[in-house]
Short mmCIF file of all heavy atoms in Angstrom, two decimals:
data_model
loop_
_atom_site.label_atom_id
_atom_site.label_comp_id
_atom_site.label_asym_id
_atom_site.label_seq_id
_atom_site.Cartn_x
_atom_site.Cartn_y
_atom_site.Cartn_z
N LEU O 1460 22.98 34.56 25.99
CA LEU O 1460 21.85 34.35 26.90
C LEU O 1460 22.38 34.18 28.31
O LEU O 1460 23.35 33.46 28.57
CB LEU O 1460 21.05 33.12 26.49
CG LEU O 1460 20.58 33.11 25.02
CD1 LEU O 1460 20.04 31.74 24.66
CD2 LEU O 1460 19.53 34.18 24.81
N PHE O 1461 21.71 34.87 29.25
CA PHE O 1461 22.11 34.78 30.65
C PHE O 1461 21.65 33.43 31.22
O PHE O 1461 20.47 33.13 31.24
CB PHE O 1461 21.48 35.94 31.45
CG PHE O 1461 21.91 35.96 32.88
CD1 PHE O 1461 23.21 36.25 33.25
CD2 PHE O 1461 20.96 35.71 33.89
CE1 PHE O 1461 23.59 36.27 34.59
CE2 PHE O 1461 21.35 35.75 35.23
CZ PHE O 1461 22.65 36.03 35.58
N ASP O 1462 22.62 32.63 31.67
CA ASP O 1462 22.32 31.27 32.14
C ASP O 1462 23.26 30.90 33.28
O ASP O 1462 24.19 30.11 33.10
CB ASP O 1462 22.44 30.29 30.97
CG ASP O 1462 22.02 28.87 31.37
OD1 ASP O 1462 21.26 28.72 32.34
OD2 ASP O 1462 22.47 27.93 30.70
N PRO O 1463 23.07 31.46 34.46
CA PRO O 1463 24.01 31.19 35.56
C PRO O 1463 23.97 29.75 36.05
O PRO O 1463 24.96 29.23 36.54
CB PRO O 1463 23.57 32.16 36.64
CG PRO O 1463 22.12 32.41 36.38
CD PRO O 1463 21.98 32.36 34.88
N LEU O 1464 22.81 29.09 35.93
CA LEU O 1464 22.67 27.72 36.43
C LEU O 1464 22.84 26.66 35.35
O LEU O 1464 22.60 25.48 35.61
CB LEU O 1464 21.30 27.57 37.12
CG LEU O 1464 21.05 28.52 38.30
CD1 LEU O 1464 19.65 28.26 38.88
CD2 LEU O 1464 22.11 28.35 39.38
N HIS O 1465 23.15 27.08 34.16
CA HIS O 1465 23.33 26.16 33.02
C HIS O 1465 22.07 25.32 32.79
O HIS O 1465 22.13 24.09 32.62
CB HIS O 1465 24.54 25.25 33.24
CG HIS O 1465 25.83 25.97 33.10
ND1 HIS O 1465 27.04 25.32 32.99
CD2 HIS O 1465 26.13 27.30 33.05
CE1 HIS O 1465 28.04 26.21 32.88
NE2 HIS O 1465 27.48 27.40 32.92
N GLU O 1466 20.94 26.00 32.81
CA GLU O 1466 19.66 25.32 32.57
C GLU O 1466 19.22 25.39 31.12
O GLU O 1466 18.30 24.67 30.72
CB GLU O 1466 18.58 25.95 33.45
CG GLU O 1466 18.81 25.77 34.95
CD GLU O 1466 17.75 26.47 35.77
OE1 GLU O 1466 17.07 27.35 35.19
OE2 GLU O 1466 17.60 26.15 36.95
N LEU O 1467 19.84 26.23 30.33
CA LEU O 1467 19.46 26.40 28.93
C LEU O 1467 20.20 25.43 28.04
O LEU O 1467 21.38 25.10 28.30
CB LEU O 1467 19.69 27.84 28.47
CG LEU O 1467 18.88 28.93 29.16
CD1 LEU O 1467 19.29 30.28 28.65
CD2 LEU O 1467 17.38 28.68 28.96
N LYS O 1468 19.53 25.03 26.99
CA LYS O 1468 20.15 24.19 25.98
C LYS O 1468 19.60 24.58 24.62
O LYS O 1468 18.38 24.76 24.44
CB LYS O 1468 19.88 22.71 26.26
CG LYS O 1468 20.55 21.78 25.25
CD LYS O 1468 20.24 20.33 25.56
CE LYS O 1468 20.89 19.42 24.56
NZ LYS O 1468 20.60 17.98 24.82
N ALA O 1469 20.48 24.72 23.65
CA ALA O 1469 20.08 25.12 22.28
C ALA O 1469 20.37 23.95 21.32
O ALA O 1469 21.50 23.46 21.25
CB ALA O 1469 20.81 26.38 21.86
N GLU O 1470 19.36 23.56 20.59
CA GLU O 1470 19.50 22.50 19.57
C GLU O 1470 19.40 23.14 18.19
O GLU O 1470 18.33 23.64 17.81
CB GLU O 1470 18.40 21.45 19.75
CG GLU O 1470 18.51 20.31 18.77
CD GLU O 1470 17.35 19.29 18.94
OE1 GLU O 1470 16.47 19.51 19.80
OE2 GLU O 1470 17.38 18.27 18.19
N VAL O 1471 20.47 23.13 17.46
CA VAL O 1471 20.50 23.77 16.13
C VAL O 1471 20.08 22.75 15.09
O VAL O 1471 20.64 21.64 15.02
CB VAL O 1471 21.92 24.31 15.83
CG1 VAL O 1471 21.95 24.98 14.47
CG2 VAL O 1471 22.34 25.28 16.92
N LEU O 1472 19.13 23.14 14.26
CA LEU O 1472 18.56 22.24 13.23
C LEU O 1472 18.62 22.91 11.87
O LEU O 1472 18.43 24.12 11.74
CB LEU O 1472 17.12 21.86 13.55
CG LEU O 1472 16.88 21.15 14.90
CD1 LEU O 1472 15.38 20.99 15.14
CD2 LEU O 1472 17.57 19.80 14.92
N ASP O 1473 18.83 22.11 10.83
CA ASP O 1473 18.78 22.58 9.44
C ASP O 1473 17.33 22.71 9.02
O ASP O 1473 16.53 21.78 9.24
CB ASP O 1473 19.54 21.62 8.56
CG ASP O 1473 19.68 22.14 7.13
OD1 ASP O 1473 19.34 23.31 6.89
OD2 ASP O 1473 20.11 21.37 6.25
N VAL O 1474 16.96 23.83 8.37
CA VAL O 1474 15.58 24.05 8.03
C VAL O 1474 15.35 24.14 6.51
O VAL O 1474 14.23 24.41 6.05
CB VAL O 1474 15.04 25.35 8.69
CG1 VAL O 1474 15.09 25.21 10.20
CG2 VAL O 1474 15.84 26.55 8.21
N VAL O 1475 16.37 23.91 5.70
CA VAL O 1475 16.25 23.99 4.25
C VAL O 1475 15.88 22.61 3.72
O VAL O 1475 16.66 21.68 3.80
CB VAL O 1475 17.56 24.49 3.61
CG1 VAL O 1475 17.40 24.56 2.09
CG2 VAL O 1475 17.93 25.85 4.17
N ARG O 1476 14.65 22.52 3.19
CA ARG O 1476 14.13 21.25 2.66
C ARG O 1476 14.34 20.11 3.66
O ARG O 1476 14.79 19.04 3.30
CB ARG O 1476 14.76 20.93 1.31
CG ARG O 1476 14.37 21.86 0.19
CD ARG O 1476 14.87 21.37 -1.14
NE ARG O 1476 16.33 21.47 -1.23
CZ ARG O 1476 16.98 22.58 -1.60
NH1 ARG O 1476 16.31 23.65 -1.92
NH2 ARG O 1476 18.29 22.58 -1.66
#
Side-chain angles (χ1 to χ4, degrees):
L1460 307 169
F1461 183 67
D1462 185 22
L1464 301 180
H1465 288 193
E1466 295 177 341
L1467 295 177
K1468 182 180 179 181
E1470 181 182 3
V1471 181
L1472 301 174
D1473 187 9
V1474 299
V1475 179
R1476 292 188 291 274

